[in-house]
Amino acid sequence: MASALQFTAISGAHSEEAVCYLLEVGDAKLLLDCGSFEDYSGEGLARLQRVARQVDAVLLSHPDMSHLGAYPLAYAKYGLTCPAYATQATHMMGRLCLQDVVRTLTAREEFTQFDEADVDAAFENITALQYAQPKTLPGRHADIVVTAHAAGHTIGGTVWTISSGGETVLYALDFNHMKEEHLNRSSLMEGAQGKVSTRLMKPTLLITGAYTALHRVPPRKRRVECFLDTVARAVRRGGNVLVPVDSAARVLELAYILNEWWSRDKARRDTHALCLLAQCSRKTRSFAQSLAGWMGGGVEAQLADRDAKPFDLRHVSTVQSVEELDRKLGGDSRARGRQRHAVVLASLESMSGFALDLFVRWAAGKKNVVILPQRGPPASLARHLYTRWWDRTQARRPTDTPMKLGAARLSRAHVSVTVKKRVPLEGSELDAWRAQERRRREQEAARDALLKRKRDMLDDDDVSSASDSDAADAAAADRRLGMAAAAGDMDAATFSQLDLETERLLSGQTYDLYVRGRGPVRGLYLVSKSYCMFPFQEKNRRSDDYGEIYDLETYMIQPDADDAAHLLDTAAPDADKPYESDTAARSETRPTKPVTKERRLQLNCELAFVDMEGRADGTSVSNIVVQLMPKRLVIVHGTSASTTALADFCRDPTVEVTKEIYTPAVGEILNVSSGVNVYRMRLADALVKHVPMAAVQGCMVGFVSGRASFSHEDQTPVLEPDHAELTNAWRPPMLVGDPRLSALRAVLVRQGFAAHFDSEGTLVCNDAVAIKRASSKRAKCDTIKILGTPSPDFYSIRAVVYAYLAVL
Amino acid sequence: AMAAKRKAELVVPVEDENDLLRITPLGAGREVGRSCILLQYKGKTVMLDCGLHAGHEGINSLPFLDEVDPATVDLLLVTHFHIDHAAAVPYYLEKTTFKGRTFMTRPTKGVFRWLATDYIRVTNTSNSESTALYSEADLVSAHAKIEEIDVHQQIEIGGIKFTAYNAGHVLGAAMFLIEIAGVKVLYTGDYSREEDRHLVPAENPGVPVSVLITESTYGLHNHEPRVDREKAFMKQVRDVVRRRGCCLLPVTALGRTQELLLILEEYWRRYINELENVPIFFISALGKTGTRLYKQYVMDMSRRIQRQLSKTGQNPFDFRYIKTRTGASEVPETGPCVVLATPGMLQSGVSRKLLERWAPRPENGLIITGYSVEGTLAREINNSMDDIPALAGGRIPRRIAVTNISFSAHVDGAQNCAFIDEIRAPFVVLVHGEENAMMRLRANIVDKYKGSDYEVAVHAPRNAQAIELHFHGEKIARVMGGLATKVPGQGDYAAGVLVEKDFNYTLVDVADLHEFASIAPVVVEQQQYVPYSSSFSLLRLHLEQMFGELPLTTEKSNSGETNILRVYDAVDVSHSSWKTHVEVEWEGNVMNDMAADSVVAVIFNTESSPASVKITQGRSCSHSHATADETEDNGDGENNGGASGLVRTDDNQQIAAKLALFLRQQFSQIDVAEDNSSITVHLGSAHAVVDSCTLNVTSDSQVLKSRLAPIIAQVHRTMRPLAHRATALPEEPPLAQDMQEKDEADQELEPELDMEADEVDPDPDQEEAEAEPKDGLAAEQADANDMDSMAVDSNSDGSNSHDDSDGEDGGTEAQETATPTPTTADGVDASGSQSR
């Protein structure tokens, strides 16, 4: 029987917020994407927290914040530790995207939600897939198969199909129907003649986004031209160009376009540097190179070249801090005696981080230009600037024409920004910090002392003692504790709690130790329990029965068994240095504090918006939805206006995609089961052998009838021929086939008939016989009507039509 | 259960040829090299690998490709880029009629491109041009046709489902799991189960496999553990370097060499303090390309490599200590240094040159890591040669230390047996191994499982020797939609439409066909316009005489009255008082078509039958005036139409003949040009030439021309009623004007008209009135339809026979001449295939 389907939007419905949806297939809960923007706040996260523990699988579709921003947070803090799936490219670039964000945030503010280790742990949990690799979910949900298909838009970007029983869910949010410089078009569009791919057609449920539904943009070629043009003008007048980008997804397309453009013109190379400014920009480049196989477009052509380095971005300098950028520009200025300017692709997309740093610096310069390649997350600075630009440029544009792109000046405009950064502590604050640090050290020392005492007590009990070095023991004990913490699934808070208890115990205040552990999880709620226990530590025997002293190292679980098995372990400590250096080390040594400053900036620079989002535009999305012919349609991820617009388009009786179109609000539970019934039946050989099968549209069809019988072995019914029935029953013969006249025409032409369509869509054959589609009086099915005089043409054409269809 | 199945196979004769799975090695059957295995089942043909034999040259190195018609091969799957697995692919794609699709993994395709280029270069220089199987241009063209498959990706093409799995061995090496109609065949290609530095070892697909086709290169021979080999290798290198010698490693450009590079790079990085001054060179024409390709495909390598990349952001194939060069110019004369140089078997080139340079000194070392073919220096130098032959002639004393450490990544005997045990396929086919090794392995497997619950049949076919395995796939249909609302109980009746696509069966209700199978029930409605200008009562009389009492519906409109008679509850005959035809309408199927044909025949007969003449007191039809000439012509015309059968042949011929027929009835003197291209009409002194192709009229006499024009238009309209929709049937063309013009023309030419023309010509003075339904046009139409109605004749069995019996004979004749045509065609076909 078919599975029940339920859909709930956790975030990103009737809004352009980051996306996160819950799809329930039978009793399996699938989380479709897990996005959050870098502010890490909002209702969406709270709702995600509520369901995270129950989720059975996570599917991530694009390596950007909107699609996987919340994943490490949910993995580390909300208990979203179920299996997760993403394509190899999404996996790699997604991790990079989050590393970049974490570093950006920790370098500027008190960011404690999660750290880089959480990102790594979360992404280690992801199973990397290839496109078109059917993946069966593990365990009791083995009836569900998820498959990734190329979506375009970002490298590794995915359109997911989730199939179970008779249901096929197509989750296609941000896809691109066009080929780009570095990416191929979506698999959705792999059908013949630019049509929708047939294998993805007719899903029982289509979940799609209305993000671009009201967006009318000029053709891609014009947009690229406009983008380069805007850059070129700024370069000519000696200005700086700031392009805020994400750090792992769309940045690749922009970097690639700029790099190609740069390589064509030497002159601008002398005056301007082309830079990619992100926390991990070097990794971005090196990852992208190794992922060249996931790209298409121009890169694909390069792959075939013997010595080309695909996606080498030769002209793009990767810089990882503003200081490095300054050094780069300044250094050259000394050498050449003139100030170098820069075209900088700077993270983040929302214009916080480096993009903001540069914006603050360049906003007042008249020659400079800020180019927004995307609209940016709602409520971000990028979006604010976009809105300002829109109000300025599109006022007199007639609706329903493509938007005008390009630069505009907002004369005498101001913009308020919130600048966050860390400043070194000074004066009393520094003293306070030092005092705190001292306390912390003392506490640590006390704990060490406690551990040591405990050990000594154990050692005293043991016959063979003392001789071992204390250092090794302490290390081992630490590791033990660490392991205990991991095993008990205690987070840091619980652990420090335990420390406190231990301290109280030491000081003789109490004799009972309360260990707060997690009880069994029931439903949504955590049942917390405290267990009373006597502080008893089991003695660790340090020698075996023969007096041989245990070597703890022998029994330690190696972090990477197969690596250790290698003759030469690859430690490669020096290799890390150039890539992960300063930020982490610096924050350790010098105490800093985050400060937030509101600044009002004079906006003298040019402001431009050129749509380089790489998403299918509104018209294409609606066309694709129509062609996909879904049985049910859920529209999310778009403002209420655009969601409604797309829904209305699909509801239009002339289009009539489907009658079941939903535009759920956040949190609304939709039942979208189709109720298709399915069971399996074995066909007896005797039955199949005698059924005349006719070929039609690449299938064989035939009418079968029989009686069901059950063998002893299993539950599957067998359809056996029923001889009495076969001889008695007479059915009127039935024709089946493809009623499209264009297909019929092809067949007629192939057999030597002259066949063409007249202006009314009637197929005229040999100028003697007319064939048209008609609505039948008798049956509610497709009807082909043949009209003509009794002539050889009539009969021969009728014979062709009969042969073209199959007789059941 | 398996045993029972096989026993059954012995007893029951194979009923269905389609149930036989044929596996034929076209190469690599009891030999190593030119892998090419053919898989045939259920009418599908898959070729696995297409390599060349290194031991032969030119056409002899090809597999036995003649065993199968290349045009029938649906799919070619290539496991990895080695010459003995892939090098014949360009030949097969470019030089044969193969039209199927070819798949490789992305790295295989990428590397194969350059390896094959190198292969062409080497064969072209070492041999004469004539032995080259294909050129660089062929390679480029073939390469463009090859499609990519990702590991774990599942592709389905026309019912053949296949998935690639990691095979270890070399970069991009894949095993293929092929599924046709539920039977799963796993072909390992060359595979390795050991995890090395950069590759993912061969995986178990984790699904029940029916047939396992596995390599058996090493037979039962077992390797040393890889870690030991690596240790021995590094110890050897270190020893040579420590004694300040030169260490030479003859290698191939791509493949296992990159593994050695990784080992060396890692060792150097670790002991850089000690080894700082020891350079490593990799000298190969393909070296740079190889490294670039390996860098490019890191995502296809092991997790270890990927973790290294994602941790440091640095590609593991960005070597810091290894210098890749194309020539040996930088290599120092004396050590210490390490040099990896091509070719791998010391036949010639850089590796040989360096060997000759370093051979006399005992502190130097030579490490052979690959497989060496019999007859090459790499194989012979092992046997404690005291001196080696120099390429320039003479002999050079050998004091260099020689070590053999194999890094070739094939499974050994134990691993192969373990894999076979893991897969537990009831049928195992051994390929890619030398006969003795293969037989020992086979005996070992058979012995091992004798009497156990895993009974396995092991085959080791020779080249071109097919093994046939019988599989009787169960046909399991998915019952969907309305039919599936309730699972039937014992003995319940079930009926529906069975749809089979690519061996998947779906059973659905007729009503659900469109939804689940994208196939729609289609109704073919048919409507024929039969010329008829007499009264409805006459029509009804005739129809009821034939079919009994018929239900009548009458509809009234502004134009007049429409009466509809329904015959056999299937065929509607509607007669409108203002139309000169009857519309016959029915829903097409075998029964209804028959009924409709007889109805049409009755209508045709109505106006010409003597009974009608009696009733209406009207004139006989114009045919009664046909002369013998005309009849002959008529017969010819029919013949012409008949010979073409149901398919039109020569349109113009037919039109010309019919045009002549029409014109002859109007004008007594006409001449038809011999090639039917034109017809000349004589009317008194005036002449007009009608082009039978374009129907253009040329004439000196305007009058004759204007008279001909409407006639010809009418002819055209009759024969091609839909050519001009404005005047097409069923709408009646405005006749009055034509008639009037004709009148004038007639009057003008009156004195010169002869009798016959006068007689044939319908009376122009008669008013077009309902009282006299039989005007000239209708008659013409009737005639035309008569002539056109060959098919009607045959269908309605001559029911329209009237006084013009000759015409009917012609029809029958035509039928007889028409029928043999396909038979002859068949005969030709048959003979053709016989001769083939």
Side-chain angles (χ1 to χ4, degrees), chain A residues 375-443:
Chain A
R375 284 175 277 173
S380 66
L381 174 59
R383 179 57 73 96
H384 174 73
L385 293 178
Y386 166 76
T387 319
R388 299 272 291 266
W389 171 87
W390 176 272
D391 293 343
R392 177 84 192 183
T393 53
Q394 313 290 320
R396 281 185 299 281
R397 184 184 64 100
T399 47
D400 233 50
T401 55
M403 65 163 82
K404 293 181 214 154
L405 299 173
R409 263 181 214 285
L410 313 176
S411 48
R412 292 191 298 283
H414 286 84
V415 62
S416 304
V417 295
T418 312
V419 182
K420 292 174 181 169
K421 65 178 172 197
R422 281 186 169 271
V423 292
L425 294 181
E426 277 161 7
S428 60
E429 277 179 328
L430 188 61
D431 295 341
W433 180 81
R434 280 188 181 135
Q436 200 196 341
E437 191 71 356
R438 208 163 34 242
R439 263 202 308 285
R440 193 175 62 82
R441 286 219 192 91
E442 277 162 12
Q443 255 174 28

Side-chain angles (χ1 to χ4, degrees), chain A residues 286 293 303 560 685 708 792 802, chain B residues 106 296 307 313 472 491 515 593 788:
Chain A
S286 126
L303 285 175
D560 198 331
D685 285 341
Y802 279 169
Chain B
R106 197 197 316 262
Q296 192 176 313
R307 221 178 294 143
H472 184 71
E515 189 167 0
D593 287 353
D788 268 340

Side-chain angles (χ1 to χ4, degrees), chain A residues 88 286 293 303 306 560 569 631 679 681 683 685 700 702 706 708 735 737 766-767 784 786 792 796 798 802, chain B residues 106 270 292 296 299 307 313 472 475 477 479 491 494 498 500 515 522-523 525-527 593 646 648 788:
Chain A
Q88 205 174 27
S286 126
L303 285 175
R306 182 165 186 158
D560 198 331
D569 197 28
K631 271 206 203 98
Y679 67 85
M681 178 136 87
L683 303 170
D685 285 341
M700 302 294 285
L735 293 160
N766 277 8
D767 292 337
I784 293 176
I786 311 175
S796 53
R798 185 177 74 183
Y802 279 169
Chain B
R106 197 197 316 262
R270 200 171 166 118
R292 177 184 75 79
Q296 192 176 313
M299 297 314 285
R307 221 178 294 143
H472 184 71
K475 294 179 177 67
V479 187
L498 184 65
E500 188 242 286
E515 189 167 0
V522 177
V523 170
E525 278 193 359
Q526 295 170 47
Q527 191 170 358
D593 287 353
L646 294 177
R648 282 193 334 156
D788 268 340

Side-chain angles (χ1 to χ4, degrees), chain A residues 17 111 148 207 339 523 685 744:
Chain A
E17 284 298 333
F111 181 71
I207 304 165
Q339 178 69 43
D685 285 341
L744 178 59

Side-chain angles (χ1 to χ4, degrees), chain A residues 1 88 92 124 130-134 165 202 283 286-287 290-291 293 303-308 310 560 563 565-570 572 574-576 579-580 631 676-683 685 688-689 693 697-710 719 725 734-737 739 751 753 758 760 764 766-770 776-778 781-796 798 802 805 808, chain B residues 15 106 114 150-154 195 197 226-227 230-231 234 263 266-267 269-270 286 289 292 296 298-299 303-304 306-307 309-314 320 472 474-481 484-501 507 510 513-516 518-530 570 585-589 593 597 600 604 646-648 720-723 725 729 788 791-792 795:
Chain A
M1 291 291 144
Q88 205 174 27
M92 267 192 105
E124 281 300 314
Q130 302 283 350
Y131 286 140
Q133 173 185 350
K202 296 195 179 176
K283 269 190 179 178
S286 126
F287 283 16
S290 66
L291 289 169
L303 285 175
D305 197 346
R306 182 165 186 158
D307 293 310
D560 198 331
D563 267 11
H566 280 283
L567 167 70
L568 315 158
D569 197 28
T570 159
D574 48 351
D576 284 10
Y579 298 102
E580 357 229 310
K631 271 206 203 98
V676 175
N677 299 309
V678 180
Y679 67 85
R680 286 175 179 279
M681 178 136 87
R682 201 163 277 150
L683 303 170
D685 285 341
V688 180
K689 205 171 286 168
M693 300 287 272
Q697 286 177 68
C699 318
M700 302 294 285
V701 290
F703 190 88
V704 293
S705 64
R707 291 195 180 276
S709 72
F710 289 85
L719 193 65
E725 205 69 42
M734 190 177 64
L735 293 160
V736 293
Q751 304 213 6
F753 292 92
D758 73 356
E760 290 152 47
V764 180
N766 277 8
D767 292 337
V769 175
S776 170
K777 291 173 214 158
R778 277 153 253 204
C781 54
D782 290 295
T783 303
I784 293 176
K785 193 163 186 176
I786 311 175
L787 301 99
T789 53
S791 63
D793 279 338
F794 184 91
Y795 294 100
S796 53
R798 185 177 74 183
Y802 279 169
L805 301 167
L808 282 184
Chain B
E15 287 178 1
R106 197 197 316 262
W114 305 114
D150 284 316
V151 170
H152 296 142
Q153 186 182 356
Q154 188 182 60
E195 176 160 10
R197 240 147 242 286
R226 196 185 57 86
V227 177
E230 251 183 47
K231 265 186 188 153
M234 276 328 300
I263 296 174
E266 233 171 70
Y267 193 80
R269 184 162 59 211
R270 200 171 166 118
L286 265 184
T289 311
R292 177 184 75 79
Q296 192 176 313
V298 277
M299 297 314 285
R303 261 190 100 77
R304 187 170 169 276
Q306 284 174 37
R307 221 178 294 143
L309 172 70
S310 71
K311 226 181 227 164
T312 64
Q314 200 181 10
R320 205 182 305 176
H472 184 71
E474 269 191 331
K475 294 179 177 67
I476 294 180
R478 297 214 305 167
V479 187
M480 297 179 83
T485 39
K486 189 175 146 282
V487 178
Q490 175 75 33
D492 283 354
Y493 177 74
V497 179
L498 184 65
V499 181
E500 188 242 286
K501 185 166 196 189
L507 188 64
V510 176
L513 250 187
H514 186 68
E515 189 167 0
F516 296 112
S518 301
I519 299 172
V522 177
V523 170
V524 178
E525 278 193 359
Q526 295 170 47
Q527 191 170 358
Q528 281 190 339
Y529 305 106
V530 185
E585 204 176 344
W586 72 99
E587 189 179 306
N589 65 40
D593 287 353
D597 285 346
V600 169
F604 271 134
L646 294 177
V647 182
R648 282 193 334 156
R720 299 275 168 264
L722 292 164
R725 301 256 311 159
L729 288 173
D788 268 340
V792 181
N795 277 328

